[in-house]
Amino acid sequence: ARALDTDVIARASPEHKLRLIAALRAEGHLVAMTGDGVNDAPALRRANISVAMGSGSDIAKDTSLITVVDDNFASIVAGIEEGRFAYGNVRKVTLLLISTGAAELLLLAGAILMGLPAPLIAVKILWLNLVTNGIQDVALAFEGGEPGAMKRPPRPPAEGIVNRQMLLQVLTSGVTMAVILF
């Protein structure tokens, strides 16, 4: 119970580290563990996210998913921030691609259902994809992060890139674009 109310635990024995990780994981938490010694290896292996310090033992570095070569905890925070920015940018690009594709499909389906000629031929679809997706994808992919990304709680690990909110955004923007185009 005390482990659930504690943010940082230091100077714990290897046995206590394993017990803490097991207790937190049993409650559904993601557990990050840093270590640099041989005695940290079992806990590093059991944690969801394991980070070894670059000056630490080879066993700790081999066991860990991540090695911080400069031994600076600020590097861990910077890595998390960069990962959140990259994930956000991937979501933006995905939203753009799916929305414009949905708009094209709805436009074609609407024309077919109303008995009208196809408003887009293959060359027009290729041109639209090049113009609407090509340049914007690059811009979105390299966009800086949104302010406050580190203030938000971590996303659930099981959540995919496309979630319910994104599907609603895709439907709204896809239908809006299709109606305007029609």
Side-chain angles (χ1 to χ4, degrees):
R2 287 179 51 200
L4 295 174
D5 295 329
T6 305
D7 293 326
V8 177
I9 298 168
R11 303 279 184 213
S13 69
E15 297 82 26
H16 286 129
K17 291 175 189 176
L18 288 171
R19 287 181 55 206
L20 286 166
I21 291 170
L24 291 169
R25 289 191 70 175
E27 291 293 322
H29 291 277
L30 283 175
V31 180
M33 164 75 183
T34 60
D36 62 356
V38 173
N39 62 337
D40 294 324
L44 288 168
R45 184 175 304 281
R46 245 194 231 149
N48 297 99
I49 304 165
S50 52
V51 182
M53 296 298 150
S55 63
S57 70
D58 287 338
I59 293 174
K61 289 188 264 188
D62 289 343
T63 304
S64 296
L65 296 172
I66 304 166
T67 301
V68 179
V69 293
D70 64 359
D71 288 354
N72 189 345
F73 284 104
S75 297
I76 299 170
V77 175
I80 293 169
E81 184 177 43
E82 189 65 33
R84 286 186 177 193
F85 291 166
Y87 184 81
N89 289 348
V90 167
R91 284 184 55 106
K92 289 176 194 173
V93 170
T94 303
L95 176 64
L96 175 73
L97 289 172
I98 295 174
S99 295
T100 55
E104 291 170 1
L105 287 173
L106 290 171
L107 177 62
L108 287 170
I112 291 169
L113 290 174
M114 298 190 96
L116 299 173
L120 300 173
I121 58 173
V123 174
K124 287 182 183 177
I125 292 173
L126 288 172
W127 175 249
L128 277 172
N129 286 336
L130 178 68
V131 172
T132 62
N133 298 340
I135 299 167
Q136 288 88 337
D137 289 353
V138 173
L140 286 175
F142 293 106
E143 182 178 296
E146 292 184 19
M150 292 298 284
K151 295 195 185 313
R152 289 193 296 268
R155 65 176 176 78
E159 178 183 285
I161 294 220
V162 179
N163 60 11
R164 182 177 175 88
Q165 179 187 2
M166 184 183 274
L167 286 175
L168 291 173
Q169 288 174 321
V170 165
L171 285 173
T172 302
S173 59
V175 168
T176 302
M177 285 187 277
V179 167
I180 290 170
L181 289 172
F182 195 77

